[in-house]
Amino acid sequence: MDSIVIQGGKPLAGEVTVSGSKNAALPMICAALLAPGRSSFYDVPDLADIRTLGRLLSHMGARVQRADGARRGPTEHAHTLHVDASEIGRPEAPYELVKTMRASVLVLGPLVARFGRARVSLPGGCAIGARPIDQHLKGLAALGANIELAHGYVEATAKRLKGARVIFDLPTVTGTENLMMAAALAEGCTTLENCAREPEIEALGRTLSGMGAEISGAGTSVITIIGVEQLQAADATVVPDRIEAGTLLCAAVAAGGDVLVRRAPAAHLEAAIAKLREAGASISPEGDGLRVRAPSRPEAVDLITAPFPGFPTDLQAQLMACLCVARGASRVVETIFENRFMHVQELLRMGADITVDGHTAVVRGVERLEGAQVMATDLRASASLVVAGLRAEGDTTVGRVYHLDRGYESLESKLTGLGARIRRVRGSA
Ligand code: EPU
């Protein structure tokens, strides 16, 4: 297993460009299952999760082809992915693939809508929380799917799905996406209420519209879909990754310095930008991105995670890493996932002063963090350790880098480009 070694204490400077969004790309690529023909997706990040989805679609019978190339200009598409879903012989997602990536559940809606049947492994538990999929199943059942759970698999069947009114018990991102895709081919009108409003959902709505779906309201809490008989293959560009952009902003605030984060989607980052400003950072729009100038030491801020447009749970760990060295005490409340403080124990090993009580962490800022050997059990927690390592004195070794590789494209080379002393060590524990 690879690890990343960071020699901290060096401020960051220069420009860095944000890659395409993982969480926007995953549902868009699953939408290719809704139509025969070759779908093309541009700016697809080169990540382990995208490769896992590629393997899953190939397993079903789709033809998946990557056309990679470095971006030479802002309008060029760095990575293109083609998916030909004309022939899907096996509409199923096996346990081996679903267990490595929960987002595999996103194939359920499209498969049952187009082929009338789907067999998808239940994802099981996850490092950050229980993460059930009851809302996905309730929604599909409302659209007339017959849902059976057997041997750890969900088996969904339907002659043709029928439009219905679905009120989610709570806003769920992939649940909303699954139902949007299912309803696109259902007979009649579907209204989805209490939907998640994340920008990735809006992006999926645009992709589906481009395929011929009649869909309105994606990105708001009520989405209306009038089902059509057939869709055409997709041709869509992935939006920049707001969480990667936010992570880079946090990295600059923790390490210190002056960085231009190109392609940072400011409109999707308002809550995070507000918190970083409160912490003393200067953040201003520049060209297609955001320039961040770090304070010499952050100020303490309180934050509570919430569904979009609130502060994203996917940036909680990275901002907490900044707050470890803040002047004063910060209160961080995690409301989305019940077990998303896995980074705390590791940050403590770097000299942070944090106490956790249930969903609340109190972070008392210390003057300095010290490098240490650390590891994390999920993607964003790993990113927070890199952020902390950039600030810490001495060497920090972050183990289990495969978590980072799931969701950050070339993070260490991007940070190296900003002057960080960071390198990957192949094959170590
Ligand atoms: N929930 C249920 N029942 C459901 C679905 C969700 O109780 O059927 C609960 C969850 O347990 C959680 C809350 O609802 O407490 C919100 O979960 P949501 O369904 O919105 O999360 P998700 O769709 O599984 C996506 C992202 C996550 C991100 C969350 C929250 C993708 C592929 N994943 O997950 O991203 O944290 O939304 O914004 O879009 C990551 O990228 O590191 C990551 C974990």
Side-chain angles (χ1 to χ4, degrees):
M1 271 187 274
D2 294 356
S3 38
I4 282 184
V5 181
I6 306 153
Q7 196 187 337
K10 179 136 191 302
L12 303 182
E15 289 185 18
V16 59
T17 301
V18 173
S19 298
S21 157
K22 165 177 87 76
N23 288 349
L26 292 169
M28 286 167 67
I29 295 167
C30 290
L33 290 169
L34 287 164
R38 189 167 95 142
S39 288
S40 299
F41 303 98
Y42 311 101
D43 269 347
V44 176
D46 186 15
L47 298 172
D49 273 10
I50 300 288
R51 289 190 287 274
T52 302
L53 182 57
R55 278 203 299 282
L56 174 57
L57 298 184
S58 304
H59 167 90
M60 294 177 189
R63 290 174 52 186
V64 181
Q65 192 197 356
R66 269 205 93 100
D68 283 340
R71 190 200 314 277
R72 283 186 296 266
T75 53
E76 250 178 71
H77 302 302
H79 305 295
T80 300
L81 190 81
H82 303 290
V83 179
D84 188 330
S86 299
E87 277 163 43
I88 299 294
R90 257 188 303 202
E92 63 166 45
Y95 176 65
E96 292 67 39
L97 291 168
V98 178
K99 77 169 188 225
T100 58
M101 188 184 66
R102 303 179 57 84
S104 308
V105 74
L106 283 166
V107 301
L108 187 56
L111 287 178
V112 70
R114 178 160 160 230
F115 302 103
R117 68 196 170 97
R119 186 168 179 270
V120 174
S121 168
L122 282 166
C126 171
I128 60 176
R131 303 182 74 180
I133 57 162
D134 57 302
Q135 298 300 307
H136 304 230
L137 302 183
K138 174 183 115 167
L140 289 172
L143 265 58
N146 177 44
I147 308 275
E148 279 178 29
L149 303 182
H151 307 290
Y153 278 75
V154 179
E155 303 203 8
T157 47
K159 262 215 176 81
R160 184 175 176 199
L161 295 176
K162 284 203 171 46
R165 182 175 178 211
V166 176
I167 306 175
F168 291 109
D169 293 354
L170 78 183
T172 152
V173 176
T174 49
T176 303
E177 292 164 345
N178 234 337
L179 266 292
M180 284 163 74
M181 292 190 276
L185 284 180
E187 187 186 336
C189 179
T190 296
T191 318
L192 306 177
E193 296 177 35
N194 197 22
C195 295
R197 294 179 287 162
E198 269 67 4
E200 293 76 22
I201 292 169
E202 211 180 329
L204 177 64
R206 280 195 300 275
T207 305
L208 292 171
S209 296
M211 296 171 77
E214 289 189 36
I215 181 160
S216 62
T220 73
S221 54
V222 181
I223 304 178
T224 307
I225 303 136
I226 298 166
V228 295
E229 294 261 342
Q230 247 193 335
L231 292 167
Q232 68 218 27
D235 189 75
T237 302
V238 178
V239 291
D241 195 313
R242 65 190 168 102
I243 304 300
E244 186 199 355
T247 302
L248 292 166
L249 294 176
C250 289
V253 168
D258 181 340
V259 171
L260 176 60
V261 184
R262 300 203 56 189
R263 290 184 9 118
H268 300 164
L269 277 166
E270 283 179 3
I273 291 170
K275 283 295 156 193
L276 288 167
R277 282 189 178 138
E278 228 180 290
S282 147
I283 300 181
S284 48
E286 191 173 313
D288 63 352
L290 290 169
R291 177 170 292 279
V292 53
R293 293 183 185 87
S296 56
R297 189 174 173 195
E299 300 297 329
V301 297
D302 292 339
L303 74 102
I304 174 162
T305 63
F308 189 84
F311 188 92
T313 174
D314 288 347
L315 282 175
Q316 177 257 108
Q318 300 90 314
L319 184 54
M320 189 190 287
C322 300
L323 299 177
C324 287
V325 290
R327 236 186 298 264
S330 308
R331 200 163 161 268
V332 176
V333 183
E334 171 61 51
T335 69
I336 307 293
F337 293 114
E338 62 272 26
N339 197 20
R340 218 175 194 184
F341 283 141
M342 304 294 281
H343 42 288
V344 168
Q345 290 303 323
E346 302 297 302
L347 292 170
L348 292 179
R349 301 187 60 251
M350 298 177 73
D353 180 355
I354 307 169
T355 41
V356 175
D357 182 9
H359 293 290
T360 302
V362 175
V363 186
R364 284 170 221 87
V366 294
E367 294 234 355
R368 49 191 282 274
L369 291 177
E370 289 167 6
Q373 275 187 294
V374 289
M375 65 179 183
T377 41
D378 86 270
L379 166 59
R380 309 301 173 188
S382 303
S384 90
L385 300 177
V386 171
V387 170
L390 291 168
R391 176 79 181 202
E393 290 170 16
D395 281 4
T396 296
T397 305
V398 182
R400 296 193 180 165
V401 169
Y402 59 87
H403 288 297
L404 269 181
D405 293 338
R406 286 188 49 202
Y408 289 93
E409 187 179 58
S410 338
L411 184 61
E412 71 268 21
S413 61
K414 286 181 178 173
L415 291 171
T416 303
L418 295 173
R421 292 169 295 206
I422 176 169
R423 66 196 159 87
R424 179 177 289 248
V425 179
R426 300 262 169 214
S428 54

